[in-house]
Amino acid sequence: MIEANDLDKHPIRYATQYLSEILEQLSKPKVVENITFSVREKILLVTCKNDEDYQTLKQCETMVDKEFVEKLRLKVIVFQYDKDYLVLKIIKKFAKEGLKEVSFESIFNEVNKYTPSRTAQAVKGVLASFANDLTKDYRQQSRANKDFLSLRGLDPLVKRLKDGSYELLAKPVPVAKSSTRKKAK
């Protein structure tokens, strides 16, 4: 356990060191490079962007020492999936299943399986951003996170319908076929 007199003054720094130690125990030291930290109202949010890191963080959650959290003068450490990446993952999953239209409730229920603390308004905000056509809006393209934009693409992924459901515009990702060469006889 990390011992210092100013733990509460630098909770992100010490939490990063602490989680690095836990990730070393789990033989996943690289995960710390892929996560982000923020503090809101005495809650440390640890956010990841993919399934593998999420599963690793869920393992860390069981190993976190409550006394250490109190020394940081925090209420809790919350491990969560980044909302943009999570909603994108869910939209792509529904498209892969061949669905053409989904209700907001089904999307929201899927989000809550990973991150129960997400509000409906936050998910609606992400869906609204996914309805934007970025092929012509260069200003929005320049402001967007480049890594996320490469996953999301520039075309709109959903279209909000009058009944509150969403039409899926995302095309399912085709499975790459293995290239086999025929040998000449």
Side-chain angles (χ1 to χ4, degrees):
M1 171 117 54
I2 298 169
E3 293 295 331
N5 295 332
D6 62 347
L7 285 175
D8 60 324
K9 291 181 177 56
H10 307 285
I12 292 176
R13 178 181 0 151
Y14 292 117
T16 304
Q17 290 174 3
Y18 181 67
L19 280 175
S20 293
E21 292 172 8
I22 292 174
L23 291 167
E24 284 286 336
Q25 292 173 16
L26 295 172
S27 300
K28 305 267 185 163
K30 296 277 186 196
V31 172
V32 80
E33 297 170 10
N34 303 329
I35 57 179
T36 58
F37 297 85
S38 62
V39 177
R40 292 199 184 119
E41 300 174 17
K42 296 197 179 245
I43 298 172
L44 178 67
L45 301 172
V46 182
T47 307
C48 66
K49 298 176 181 175
N50 63 48
D51 284 334
E52 185 179 336
D53 293 346
Y54 180 76
Q55 296 305 324
T56 303
L57 289 179
K58 283 300 171 183
Q59 288 177 320
C60 290
E61 192 171 42
T62 61
M63 300 171 75
V64 170
D65 182 16
K66 305 297 181 214
E67 287 181 29
F68 180 73
V69 175
E70 290 172 6
K71 286 181 182 180
L72 293 174
R73 294 208 182 167
L74 296 171
K75 292 178 186 172
V76 68
I77 297 177
V78 175
F79 298 94
Q80 63 184 10
Y81 214 114
D82 181 275
K83 70 179 183 292
D84 293 324
Y85 286 87
L86 179 57
V87 175
L88 179 64
K89 171 190 160 163
I90 291 166
I91 293 296
K92 286 186 175 187
K93 179 184 129 198
F94 285 150
K96 191 175 183 180
E97 290 173 1
L99 298 175
K100 302 287 185 211
E101 187 177 311
V102 293
S103 68
F104 173 75
E105 290 76 23
S106 61
I107 296 169
F108 189 63
N109 289 339
E110 285 293 314
V111 168
N112 279 331
K113 288 179 184 177
Y114 288 89
T115 311
S117 62
R118 293 289 181 209
T119 64
Q121 194 57 46
V123 175
K124 284 181 181 177
V126 172
L127 288 168
S129 75
F130 287 174
N132 292 336
D133 183 358
L134 301 179
T135 57
K136 299 174 186 118
D137 193 346
Y138 301 109
R139 192 182 72 193
Q140 268 191 316
Q141 282 182 36
S142 65
R143 290 187 297 180
N145 176 323
K146 300 301 178 207
D147 292 335
F148 180 71
L149 202 56
S150 68
L151 288 173
R152 179 206 184 275
L154 299 176
D155 295 321
L157 300 176
V158 296
K159 176 182 175 186
R160 189 168 191 277
L161 304 174
K162 289 183 180 181
D163 65 355
S165 60
Y166 291 86
E167 178 183 350
L168 298 180
L169 305 174
K171 305 290 184 268
V173 179
V175 177
K177 296 180 182 176
S178 61
S179 60
T180 55
R181 293 178 125 181
K182 291 183 179 179
K183 294 183 180 179
K185 293 182 181 179

